[in-house]
Amino acid sequence: MKESQISDALRESMNAVRLSPALRARALCAMRGSEERRPKMKRKFSAALAFALVGVLVVAVALAVANRKGVLDFLSYSEATLPENAGDYVQTDVAAGEQDGLHAVVREVVYDGHRLWATVDINMDGEKPLLTGLDYGLDDEEKWAWLRHDESETDDRTILDVYRAEGYTDAYYIVANAYDESDEQDTSCEVHLQDDGTLTFYESIAFEQEKAEREITVSVRAFKFEEKDGEMVVSQNPSAEMKLRFTAKASAVDDEETIVSVEPVEYESIGVRVDRVTMTAKPLEMDYAIEYTVVDAEKFAQTDDGLWFEFIDPNSTETEPYAQRLKDGFSRRGEVTPMDDTHYRQTGTLSLDEKADCYTLRAYECWEKRRFDTHEIRMKKEE
């Protein structure tokens, strides 16, 4: 495979990626001002006042937790459409733990049997610690706004600038990941520093196997930054680490339905026959599978093993082919798997609101971005 072909294929796939400005451009973020420290007051106060103050603190903590970004907030960055009842599938307060000043809470999880989305909140004990993760470091490049995920574009300071100027007492680099030890998986992750100093990890995982329930491990480690020769360097040894474990159970879909194509369809110009298209509704998106057979090896060879199919809107006014596609699902995971020398299976996801009785399916090869036959695929309920 030529380097230019790989480059074109990558460009093609990235053209179709639809992410929020925050995730795509690390959009700048407005920073919360630091709170003033009040002097301690040495005076007596009544029990009634004490209870009132406790009540205020409880409300303040509740509001802070309620305002933290959750699974559905991160999913909303995608162009896929959340169903109205999406909140019904969110499991909350899943697992929590504390070790050597490191606090971790698996706050929200959505699991559909094949994919898992989760938010993990991390805190460290200390007077005013600053937490970072992934590729957000304490240097002259990483912007504070990127870590805060705000789109105001008004704050050009680096994370290091804020650390030095805002009275932070310590800084930690956090590593957190969720996984199933018994299965292969593809994982993507993002972090967001919340208003109250909590570092939230958003994990999106696609598993190889589909299971009604699975055991999930969340590994969390905290590495302290140390200043050496004017630079902030991450320690090689963790200051604290822990593992949380919980059982993820697939959410049931009340109106789950599988629809299949009515009949095989020939794609003559590339020598393949689409034998079957399957759509299965999940809680937040639809799984699809396209099974096809090579019936003319010579014609098929022109795709250079780069054949893909795309679902398109036949009424689209867009001129760019990738912009004519139907909306992907949230996980956006797609792959083509050879079943044998002549049989292939393409899998992926679509947004739930793209459910239809008939789909327009176009063939293309990803290297040179050439488009081929386009056919209507009529669907029926699986018997």
Side-chain angles (χ1 to χ4, degrees):
M1 187 184 302
K2 296 180 181 178
E3 182 177 349
S4 60
Q5 291 177 318
I6 297 174
S7 177
D8 285 344
L10 178 60
R11 189 178 300 110
E12 166 75 0
S13 62
M14 291 308 295
N15 278 339
V17 172
R18 303 179 180 96
L19 297 176
S20 73
L23 293 181
R24 182 172 52 246
R26 298 289 176 102
L28 297 177
C29 219
M31 166 196 157
R32 176 181 65 96
S34 59
E35 297 178 1
E36 292 184 4
R37 290 190 178 278
R38 296 181 179 272
K40 293 181 179 179
M41 301 181 67
K42 297 182 180 179
R43 65 183 185 187
K44 296 180 180 179
F45 52 94
S46 66
L49 177 58
F51 282 118
L53 290 175
V54 169
V56 170
L57 288 174
V58 168
V59 172
V61 170
L63 287 173
V65 172
N67 288 330
R68 292 177 187 167
K69 285 185 180 293
V71 167
L72 300 185
D73 294 306
F74 283 99
L75 287 175
S76 67
Y77 288 150
S78 169
E79 199 171 89
T81 302
L82 282 168
E84 292 183 0
N85 65 338
D88 296 344
Y89 302 115
V90 179
Q91 304 168 43
T92 58
D93 301 324
V94 179
E98 185 274 334
Q99 182 70 39
D100 299 327
L102 170 65
H103 302 261
V105 177
V106 181
R107 177 161 44 93
E108 293 184 347
V109 165
V110 175
Y111 177 57
D112 69 3
H114 186 203
R115 288 165 295 270
L116 182 143
W117 298 273
T119 51
V120 182
D121 292 337
I122 312 295
N123 286 285
M124 289 293 297
D125 285 345
E127 186 176 352
K128 190 177 180 181
L130 173 64
L131 309 185
T132 71
L134 296 183
D135 54 350
Y136 300 105
L138 264 64
D139 53 37
D140 295 328
E141 296 182 2
E142 302 301 321
K143 301 296 184 182
W144 173 253
W146 299 346
L147 182 61
R148 295 280 288 115
H149 282 253
D150 193 354
E151 301 178 11
S152 64
E153 301 186 10
T154 59
D155 193 339
D156 196 41
R157 295 175 299 170
T158 66
I159 301 173
L160 181 59
D161 291 336
V162 176
Y163 172 75
R164 296 194 187 285
E166 299 296 332
Y168 286 97
T169 54
D170 298 293
Y172 294 89
Y173 182 84
I174 306 297
V175 177
N177 53 76
Y179 54 91
D180 178 354
E181 295 178 340
S182 65
D183 198 1
E184 296 293 325
Q185 55 232 289
D186 289 334
T187 303
S188 61
C189 186
E190 185 54 88
V191 295
H192 174 220
L193 184 64
Q194 309 277 3
D195 290 344
D196 62 356
T198 299
L199 188 68
T200 296
F201 279 75
Y202 166 66
E203 302 267 352
S204 175
I205 308 171
F207 297 100
E208 188 72 23
Q209 305 172 40
E210 183 150 355
K211 298 180 181 179
E213 62 179 63
R214 66 176 71 237
E215 298 302 313
I216 301 296
T217 300
V218 179
S219 172
V220 183
R221 292 179 293 166
F223 297 83
K224 192 169 185 178
F225 280 95
E226 300 172 349
E227 187 160 3
K228 294 182 179 180
D229 300 324
E231 295 183 353
M232 300 299 293
V233 180
V234 178
S235 172
Q236 296 298 308
N237 299 311
S239 301
E241 56 187 319
M242 75 170 78
K243 288 185 178 180
L244 304 176
R245 292 180 172 83
F246 64 91
T247 301
K249 298 182 179 181
S251 299
V253 182
D254 295 335
D255 58 348
E256 180 171 334
E257 181 182 63
T258 298
I259 56 176
V260 297
S261 53
V262 173
E263 58 196 355
V265 176
E266 296 277 350
Y267 281 72
E268 186 177 353
S269 69
I270 52 172
V272 303
R273 181 186 64 244
V274 172
D275 301 308
R276 181 183 174 96
V277 176
T278 305
M279 294 279 181
T280 303
K282 293 292 186 178
L284 301 184
E285 59 189 357
M286 288 192 298
D287 285 345
Y288 74 75
I290 304 169
E291 300 169 60
Y292 61 94
T293 302
V294 176
V295 295
D296 188 323
E298 185 176 347
K299 290 182 178 179
F300 180 68
Q302 66 184 302
T303 66
D304 193 18
D305 292 328
L307 176 62
W308 281 76
F309 290 93
E310 56 190 349
F311 295 93
I312 64 170
D313 178 359
N315 300 314
S316 174
T317 59
E318 298 287 347
T319 56
E320 292 291 343
Y322 66 82
Q324 299 165 359
R325 296 174 182 169
L326 300 186
K327 290 181 291 186
D328 288 316
F330 295 107
S331 59
R332 295 188 55 83
R333 183 173 182 263
E335 62 181 355
V336 176
T337 305
M339 310 309 291
D340 55 38
D341 290 342
T342 59
H343 295 85
Y344 294 80
R345 190 171 190 264
Q346 177 182 325
T347 56
T349 62
L350 289 179
S351 178
L352 272 177
D353 60 346
E354 298 289 10
K355 184 178 179 181
D357 296 327
C358 183
Y359 290 98
T360 301
L361 191 65
R362 182 169 62 195
Y364 74 101
E365 59 89 6
C366 61
W367 312 127
E368 302 295 335
K369 298 185 283 188
R370 291 177 295 163
R371 262 64 185 186
F372 299 103
D373 304 23
T374 299
H375 293 286
E376 287 190 349
I377 307 294
R378 295 183 297 122
M379 308 294 288
K380 65 178 182 179
K381 188 172 182 178
E382 185 178 45
E383 298 177 354

